[in-house]
Amino acid sequence: MEQLINYFNTETTENVAQYLLGMYLEHETAAGKLGGYIVDCEAYLGPDDEAAHSYGMRDTPRVRAMYEKPGTIYLYTMHTHLILNMITQPEGTPQGVMIRGIEPAAGVEQMRLNRHGRTGAAISDGPGKLVEALGISKDLYGESIFTSSLHLVPEKRRIPKQIDALPRIGIPNKGIWTECKLRYVVHGNPYITNQRKLLIEENNGWRN
């Protein structure tokens, strides 16, 4: 864990986003431990990034967590869906990574129940879906992704065979920030948002 915390404290947000691919995300709930591997995420670069909630150093109660220390959990609601983000820069530098997709690994049946019977990739191939699957609530806002009931487990991390850099999803009319390749995915994994079946690889894109 110390190495992971140090990575959040010293690396760029883009590098943290790529390092998070294959990281195990676990939530300890009343129904047991639910978890999976991060396969799809997006970097948001703060004051200069027109797509970031902290663009122009915007500082409102909603974005308070973005200005806190690395590893702080930032949750917000978009189209009724709760979205998970992790802060990636020193206190006062509001940058972070949004988690878009995970490959379920533990508590999968409970995750299906949380997703009202959804199966396959539909369990967690989108930012709102994975939050619902893992039973994440707004109570975790401002908590730490290193020490709270929702936490990363670096000992279980898997290594992608290939990482693809793509434009972020749903960022229209933001100039250079619309096409900027700040979305990172595990190449060939079925739990990527809008993944095409023809692109799914054997072993879901992981190294053996």
Side-chain angles (χ1 to χ4, degrees), residues 37-189:
Y37 298 96
I38 297 171
V39 299
D40 189 349
C41 60
E42 296 178 345
Y44 286 85
L45 305 184
D48 298 323
D49 185 345
E50 292 184 34
H53 290 170
S54 55
Y55 173 61
M57 293 299 285
R58 187 183 295 120
D59 189 4
T60 65
R62 179 197 190 200
V63 301
R64 170 184 53 80
M66 293 199 73
Y67 291 85
E68 297 182 8
K69 62 185 180 181
T72 299
I73 295 169
Y74 171 49
L75 293 159
Y76 67 89
T77 302
M78 181 175 67
H79 306 309
T80 73
H81 299 295
L82 199 60
I83 309 296
L84 172 65
N85 300 257
M86 304 173 189
I87 304 310
T88 54
Q89 294 299 302
E91 195 169 350
T93 303
Q95 298 188 15
V97 174
M98 183 226 286
I99 309 303
R100 287 203 64 90
I102 66 167
E103 179 179 320
V108 178
E109 186 54 41
Q110 183 60 47
M111 293 170 75
R112 288 193 188 112
L113 291 173
N114 291 348
R115 287 282 295 130
H116 312 289
R118 299 292 199 283
T119 60
I123 294 175
S124 54
D125 65 348
K129 296 176 185 179
L130 73 89
V131 166
E132 186 174 54
L134 291 172
I136 297 169
S137 72
K138 291 181 180 178
D139 294 341
L140 285 160
Y141 183 100
E143 297 292 320
S144 173
I145 200 65
F146 306 129
T147 59
S148 71
S149 61
L150 177 68
H151 50 265
L152 300 172
V153 185
E155 296 81 8
K156 294 185 177 182
R157 182 171 179 251
R158 303 186 75 177
I159 306 299
K161 286 191 288 186
Q162 178 181 324
I163 292 173
D164 294 335
L166 308 166
R168 293 173 295 189
I169 293 176
I171 311 293
N173 307 316
K174 299 297 182 183
I176 63 170
W177 299 101
T178 293
E179 297 301 326
C180 206
K181 292 185 177 181
L182 292 171
R183 179 186 173 211
Y184 304 99
V185 304
V186 176
H187 181 83
N189 191 278

